Amino acid sequence: MSVSLLKKPQMHFGAITFFAKQHKDDVCGSNGLPLTPNSIIIYGRAQILKTIVNPYLCRYLDIIRGKHERTIAVSQYCGKPLSSFIEKSVFSFTDIKRIAYQVLQGLKELHSRNIVHHNLSSENILYENGNIKLFNYGLYYMTDNGKLVSFPIVQLLYTAPEVYLEEFKEIIANPKVDIWSLGIILAELTLNKLLWSSLILGQRIRKVLSLVQSTTSVFERIAREHNCYDRYQAIPADLKEIIEVCLNIYSEDRPTAAELLEKGIFDEFQVQKTDWLSLLKMYEIFTISELYYWWQLTGGDVLQELKRQGLIRSSPPILSLPHLVLIEGTILGQDRNPATLYDPKIVEMPMETLYERFKNISFSCYYPLIQTKSEIIAQSEPEPYDATGLPLVIKEKDPEYQFHRVILLRRLLHGYPFTRDLIVKEAEKDIPPLFRGDIWSALLNVRGDYERQYAKIDKATPTPTDRQIEVDIPRCHQYNELLSSMEGHKKLKRILKAWVNQNTQYVYWQGLDSLTAPFLYLNFNDEAKAFSCLSKFVPKYLHNFFLKDNSAVIEEYLAKFSQLIAFHDPVLANHLYEINFYPQLFAIPWFLTLFSPKTWPKKIQI
C-alpha cells in the first residue's frame, strides 16, 4: 500500500512548549518603539534550526507563537528515549561504541554551526533499531543561551561542573559542556545504571560539584559510588578511555567532538566513500517537512493537540493571583511559577487522519513522470487529480491536490535549472505555498554561485543610507512576526545595504524595504537567495524606478495608470478627476512596492 511510505518510523513528529521571559517594566526601547517580545526574538532565532538536516539529529519542522509568550517547537520524534533502556536491557560494548559515535556525529554538526546542545541527556537521545537521533538540541540556542527564558536549560545530572561554578555570571556557550554530558551518558550505559536516581535535586547538584575535588578518576569514583566497580573493570580499555577523557573536570582538558571521532575506537563505524556517486545528495520522494505540511492540511493542529493533552490551559500559569494587573505601565502581581514555564513532556502528533485521507493515492503518484512518456506508459498512469475550475484558495487547502503538486514540483526543482521551462509551465497553473520561495527564484532564473557572490559584497561599512534603513525597518514591518524579530531586522538591513552597494546607479528609496520583505520572508534561511531574487526582480519589473531622479519614470507609470483607470472604470476616473485626486497623490507608493504590503504573505504570486 502506498500509505506505508507515509508510515516510516522516521516520519513522526512531536511538540514541546515553554514560556519566554516577559518584559515587565520597560515597554519601550531607546528608539521609542515598543520592545520586541522575547517570544518573537526566539521565533526569529529558531528559524535556522529548520535548515539542519543530519541523520543523527531530529529535524525541526515548525516554531509556533501562542498567547502569553508561549512558544511551541515541533520537531521530528522517532524512537524511544535512551533512558528507557537503561537498567532494563543491557547494551553490548559494541552497541555503546556505536551510540557514542552517532552522538558525536550529531554534536560535531551542531558545534560546526556554533550551536551548543546544553540539554544533552539520555532523555534527549532517541533510540530505534540501533540508531540514535539527538532531540531538543535547539532550546538553548533559540533562547539566546537561556537569556530569554526564566528557567534553567540544563539537565542537572548531566551538566558540567563549570556551569554551576559560573551560575551567576554571564558565560559564553562552550561546546565542551556537551562532551561532559556525553561522558555521563556513556557512564550510565556502560554501568547499566541511572546515576544518583534516588537523590533529590539539591543532592544531585552537590554530587556533581563534589566531583571537582576528586583526586582519582571521575568515572571510577562514579562506579564505586554505585557499587558497579566490577562492571567498571570489565569495560574495554578504549571505551573506558573515551569516557574518562569526556569527564575531565576542566573543560580545556576535554577534546572536541571532531577530535574524539578521530580515535581508533570508531574506525569500524566510519563510512568509506568508494565512488563519486556516493557524494551526491540522495533524492527523497518527500521530506518530513512536506509530510508535516500535508498533516496540517488534513486537519492537524499542534495547539489543539497540546490542549487535548493538558499542556495548554486557557490562562497563563501563575503562582497565586488569577490575573496580572497592568497599572500605568507597571505589571503588578506575582510572577509565574518557574516550575510551570517549561514542560519536558513531548506530545506526539496523531497521524491517523492523514493516513486515512491519503490511503487511496496510488503508489505511482509518488513517482510522477516529467519528461517523455510512451503510449503504453501513458495508459498505465493514474488519472491526474482534477481541480479544474476550483479557486486558488480552495486548491491551497485541498490536501490531495497539494500532495500531487508538491510531489511534482519537488521533482522539477530537483532538476533545476534543466527543468526551468517545465517549472514555468507548472507555475502558470499555481504555485504550492510550501515551495513558493524556491519556485520564485527559479522563475527569476537565480542560479550559479549566488552565495559566494553575496558573501563578497560589503554589508558592514557605514553608508549615508544606513540611518534611513534603520528607521524604516523597525517601524514598517511589525505586521509580520518573522520580519519584526531581531534576526529579521539584521537580515533585512544586510540585504538592503548589499543592494545599495551593488547598484551604485540607484539610490535607496522608501519602499525598497517593503519590496525586499516578501523575498526575505520566503527565503529567511537563505539570505543570499533573497538578495539574488531582489536583484533579478528590480531590473525586470521596476526598471529605473530607483534612480536618484526617477521623476520621468514615475510620470510615465502614472500616465499609464490613469489610462487603465479610465478604461476599466470611467465613472471612478471622472470622479477622481473632478475632486482633483490625481494618481500622483496615492499611487506612487504602490509602484515602488508593487503593492507588496497589501498582498503578502497570503496571496502573492508572480
Side-chain angles (χ1 to χ4, degrees), residues 94-157:
T94 301
D95 292 336
I96 295 172
K97 292 177 184 179
R98 183 181 292 106
I99 290 172
Y101 170 78
Q102 294 178 346
V103 172
L104 285 168
Q105 287 286 3
L107 291 178
K108 179 183 176 182
E109 174 73 24
L110 293 177
H111 296 169
S112 69
R113 296 170 176 264
N114 295 321
I115 297 175
V116 179
H117 194 302
H118 213 282
N119 199 17
L120 186 62
S121 69
S122 55
E123 286 286 338
N124 286 326
I125 299 177
L126 303 180
Y127 182 84
E128 184 175 35
N129 296 328
N131 296 308
I132 65 96
K133 285 183 182 291
L134 303 188
F135 177 72
N136 215 7
Y137 54 84
L139 187 57
Y140 189 66
Y141 175 82
M142 70 173 76
T143 58
D144 193 12
N145 302 338
K147 298 184 183 72
L148 303 179
V149 292
S150 300
F151 55 87
I153 304 174
V154 294
Q155 288 284 353
L156 295 172
L157 171 62

Side-chain angles (χ1 to χ4, degrees), residues 223-423:
R224 289 183 181 276
E225 286 190 8
H226 290 82
N227 298 318
C228 296
Y229 187 68
D230 291 341
R231 178 75 175 172
Y232 168 81
Q233 288 185 310
I235 299 172
D238 53 356
L239 179 56
K240 187 183 297 182
E241 179 188 356
I242 293 294
I243 300 174
E244 297 279 10
V245 76
C246 288
L247 294 179
N248 272 319
I249 291 297
Y250 300 103
S251 61
E252 59 268 23
D253 294 333
R254 297 176 212 141
T256 64
E259 290 170 346
L260 282 171
L261 285 169
E262 294 176 358
K263 300 285 187 180
I265 185 177
F266 300 122
D267 287 348
E268 61 181 302
F269 308 114
Q270 299 285 353
V271 178
Q272 301 295 328
K273 298 185 182 301
T274 56
D275 57 86
W276 66 271
L277 286 174
S278 62
L279 300 175
L280 298 178
K281 183 179 179 181
M282 184 177 295
Y283 177 76
E284 297 178 273
I285 308 171
F286 61 88
T287 66
I288 190 171
S289 298
E290 291 155 8
L291 184 73
Y292 176 68
Y293 173 64
W294 298 329
W295 177 78
Q296 290 177 302
L297 291 177
T298 55
D301 190 317
V302 175
L303 284 168
Q304 290 300 322
E305 189 60 28
L306 291 178
K307 288 179 180 178
R308 191 182 70 82
Q309 299 204 26
L311 263 71
I312 294 183
R313 294 179 289 276
S314 58
S315 60
I318 53 179
L319 266 178
S320 58
L321 297 181
H323 298 286
L324 296 178
V325 183
L326 181 64
I327 300 177
E328 296 182 353
T330 302
I331 297 178
L332 303 179
Q334 297 188 26
D335 292 338
R336 292 171 178 168
N337 183 350
T340 65
L341 295 177
Y342 170 65
D343 193 326
K345 180 181 178 182
I346 298 100
V347 176
E348 293 190 63
M349 297 297 118
M351 307 293 289
E352 288 72 20
T353 303
L354 172 69
Y355 299 153
E356 181 66 23
R357 191 72 183 260
F358 283 3
K359 68 179 182 180
N360 294 323
I361 295 177
S362 66
F363 187 81
S364 58
C365 291
Y366 289 82
Y367 301 90
L369 298 178
I370 61 175
Q371 295 293 343
T372 58
K373 298 180 182 179
S374 70
E375 293 184 3
I376 297 176
I377 294 177
Q379 292 174 1
S380 64
E381 284 286 283
E383 290 293 326
Y385 188 85
D386 187 14
T388 307
L390 291 179
L392 180 61
V393 67
I394 300 299
K395 291 180 179 179
E396 290 186 351
K397 299 297 183 182
D398 187 328
E400 287 88 352
Y401 181 75
Q402 286 300 310
F403 168 84
H404 288 86
R405 295 298 287 168
V406 164
I407 291 292
L408 174 61
L409 267 300
R410 84 178 320 272
R411 287 179 72 87
L412 295 179
L413 288 170
H414 188 73
Y416 177 80
F418 306 105
T419 55
R420 184 178 182 276
D421 292 341
L422 292 172
I423 293 174

